[in-house]
Amino acid sequence: RGSSGTLFEDIPKTDWDALVNFHPPAMILLQFGGNSVPGVETRAQARWIGQRMRTNLLFLRSIFPKVPILFIGPSDMGQHETDYPGLSWVIDELTAAALESGALYWDLRSVMGGSGSMREWVDKGWASEDHIHFTRKGASEVAKRLETAIHLEWESMTP
């Protein structure tokens, strides 16, 4: 979280090897894209973000071929649905990147209530007055919803 998502190739191979050998993950959770949204003015810019994330996901897949990757998409943001016109493009591109890379995609904006839902989250005290960042209560609510989604999916796969 909180990065442009361009950092994975900068980590030395010896560090990746150590992780694989000594503490391989059971699941990889990623969330990127939200910090990029304010600067996205064209679909081409959103496409670049998606291509970059696809590269990163394929890189992680090459290191951890059997580990499930769950990509958490950007949240809704802004006081008005028109505040961040690139948000939908970024979500579309990140969704495609995740699915094409064999990752799962969890649509946080939809989970929040869809486009324009950030206002309701601010009103509930779940997001700050900047209409971008979650409060502790909001982060806890997102975590509960993610945990529930994972649990329900797990139960549906268990005979």
Side-chain angles (χ1 to χ4, degrees), residues 4 6 36 43-53 93:
S4 64
T6 59
S36 301
R43 184 168 280 284
Q45 290 170 321
R47 196 171 301 116
W48 182 88
I49 293 167
Q51 290 168 343
R52 188 73 199 135
M53 192 48 56
E93 294 296 332

Side-chain angles (χ1 to χ4, degrees), residues 11-156:
I11 298 171
K13 184 175 180 341
T14 54
D15 291 347
W16 288 113
D17 291 343
L19 182 61
V20 168
N21 292 323
F22 299 110
H23 191 57
M27 175 183 263
I28 298 172
L29 299 174
L30 301 170
Q31 183 183 22
F32 294 104
N35 290 342
S36 301
V37 168
V40 174
E41 297 176 0
T42 66
R43 184 168 280 284
Q45 290 170 321
R47 196 171 301 116
W48 182 88
I49 293 167
Q51 290 168 343
R52 188 73 199 135
M53 192 48 56
R54 188 176 294 103
T55 298
N56 282 302
L57 290 166
L58 291 171
F59 177 81
L60 290 171
R61 175 67 56 226
S62 72
I63 295 172
F64 306 105
K66 296 186 187 294
V67 176
I69 300 173
L70 175 59
F71 190 96
I72 302 169
S75 65
D76 192 50
M77 55 178 63
Q79 293 185 33
H80 308 284
E81 292 181 50
T82 56
D83 286 350
Y84 296 99
L87 178 58
S88 291
W89 296 331
V90 169
I91 290 172
D92 289 347
E93 294 296 332
L94 291 174
T95 302
L99 299 178
E100 291 168 11
S101 304
L104 302 167
Y105 186 87
W106 195 61
D107 188 346
L108 180 52
R109 182 174 65 168
S110 291
V111 169
M112 290 175 66
S115 182
S117 60
M118 183 55 85
R119 287 187 308 271
E120 298 168 28
W121 282 59
V122 170
D123 291 344
K124 291 178 181 181
W126 292 351
S128 67
E129 291 296 324
D130 69 3
H131 288 75
I132 295 174
H133 297 96
F134 295 117
T135 62
R136 287 181 188 257
K137 287 182 181 178
S140 179
E141 181 64 26
V142 169
K144 286 178 198 171
R145 293 178 186 201
L146 177 58
E147 182 181 19
T148 298
I150 291 171
H151 181 74
L152 290 172
E153 191 61 30
W154 182 264
E155 281 188 347
S156 75

